[in-house]
Amino acid sequence: MENLLTAILINGLLLGTLYAIIALGYTMVYGILQLINFAHSEVFLSGAVVAFEVFRLLGPAPDAPPGSGMNPYLVLVIALVVAMLVCGTLNVLIERLAYRPLRTAPKLVPLISAIGVSLILQDVIKFIEGTQGRFQLAVNVPTAFTQTVFSVADNNIKVRDLVLIVVAAVMLFGLDRLVNHSRVGRAIRAVAQDRVTAGLMGIDANRMIALTFAIGGALGGVGGVLFALKFPNLDPYSGTVPGIKAFSAAVLGGIGSIPGAVLGGLVLGLVENLLGVISSFSLIFPKLAFLGAIKAEYKDVGAFMALIIILIFKPSGLLGRSTTEKV
Amino acid sequence: MLELTGVHTYYGHIHALKGVDVKVPEGEIVALIGGNGAGKTTTLRTISGMLRPRQGSVTMQGRDISGVPAHQILQMGMSHVPEGRRIFPQLTVRENLEIGAHTITDRRLIEERIQEGFTYFPRLKEREHQLGGTMSGGEQQMLAIARALMVNPKLLLLDEPSMGLSPLFVEAIFDIIVELNAKRGTTILLVEQNAQMALSVAKHAYVLQTGAVKLSGEAGAIAQDESVRKAYLGED
């Protein structure tokens, strides 16, 4: 029982942290443009593909003795930096080409455009990486990251789990400094609140919007690399489900709210893992035998049910502000 | 300081300004009065680059500024306090002022200007760390003006600073307007519904009607004009 709860907690927090990093990309873009960037799941997947390439090119050969080759942490840092650059640039290009020309169009139009970009990117990734019509990428994760560091109640904590937490913490700290305590962060918040008036203050709104896409994309890239470490088997659609989950996390926390995205990610990760193991409760408590019917496959259902239930009672999300019409 | 010559501005297909000519001499307060929909706000928006004139020219200190985007116009020494104040509701009073100084990079200068703003509007200092949106209309108007002063403008465009304020606040705001003009020599173009108040502080005035200047001249003479008295000063 104790093992089970610890497993839920640990896996939930790890997965939740990953969702949180991805959710930030959705929530920041929504905050400044009121646009749901559906292409973000592919931007995130691009980060995972970057990780695949970097580990393939710089990581140890599969048959090399342990400890040979480049330091795996250095390779990881290279993967993170390249992914941030690639995904940040990609997101800025998407905004410039697919959303900015539609800035004055009704809100549904850029949304459709976003879905289109998402599909295009899936095919582009398939085109670049795919061979012989099939596309399966097995990330060459250095063994240094899959070793167990310590165990809590029979649950093994691996190096990559600690890497995930540390990298995410650094990202969140950096993001907070940037958004809440810097000149450009203040300008981004001003543009999000009132784009026209921000212009009167000498702020170039288009630059701030591009910068927001760059930051969101870079975070997505980091999320992709961390995802590739934890789930090393990728295909062109690997971005979709985590993308939808992260988007749900952003909505759950209150879309547009940065702390909300983090909280939403963690809640979603925990709920999902709880649902994944809930059938085991039927073995421990005979009276709860009916729970045995809820198999691990239902965990996605649980995540979305949690979303729906919370939105029924608090439509603005956990930390979201209820929107009032401006007068 | 500022000159509009034959300015035509459109909102889509709506012809909002139909050849407006306005001159704002350096160091003066000029009032722009007129009824709803006369084009007062549109005139200010055209000057500050929020709207682009389709015809005619806007020159500031001899330089053609028509078509310069709003975010670059600040550098020419012009600040625009928009209609409805438009302070950033989720930023603190201090952050609102800092945003006003976005184009300034010298942190010491920014701090100096913030303190200067607080001497004009001591109430803002009391509310320094409060969110802008939680303040009263009068306080927000003070913040909007203080924010526009952060760049120490040569020319200040004020759009209906008295709108929705209690008489006490209207008085206070107009005192500040006169003081800014007298002490700092700031040139002010003032758009007002409150024609009486505007004409009492302005040197020259323009009366706009359906997108064109109907009457212009010394503010005192405009205040005596019979049609103006009837239409805008509530006399018959």
Side-chain angles (χ1 to χ4, degrees), chain A residues 9 26 29 61 108 116 129 163 168 173 211 241 254 256 271 282 313-314:
Chain A
L9 210 61
Y26 284 102
V29 164
L108 192 61
E129 292 291 342
V163 164
F173 176 77
L211 188 62
V241 170
V271 170
S282 66
F313 292 103
K314 198 161 186 311

Side-chain angles (χ1 to χ4, degrees), chain A residues 134-188:
Chain A
R134 270 181 63 81
F135 178 103
Q136 283 293 335
L137 302 178
V139 180
N140 176 23
V141 179
T143 48
F145 293 124
T146 50
Q147 274 155 12
T148 301
V149 190
F150 56 88
S151 294
V152 186
D154 286 348
N155 291 287
N156 294 337
I157 309 288
K158 293 181 174 165
V159 174
R160 63 182 175 200
D161 300 332
L162 296 181
V163 164
L164 174 77
I165 298 293
V166 170
V167 172
V170 170
M171 286 294 136
L172 287 179
F173 176 77
L175 186 69
D176 175 64
R177 295 307 302 171
L178 184 69
V179 172
N180 293 322
H181 304 279
S182 79
R183 179 170 169 270
V184 284
R186 204 162 51 218
I188 286 177

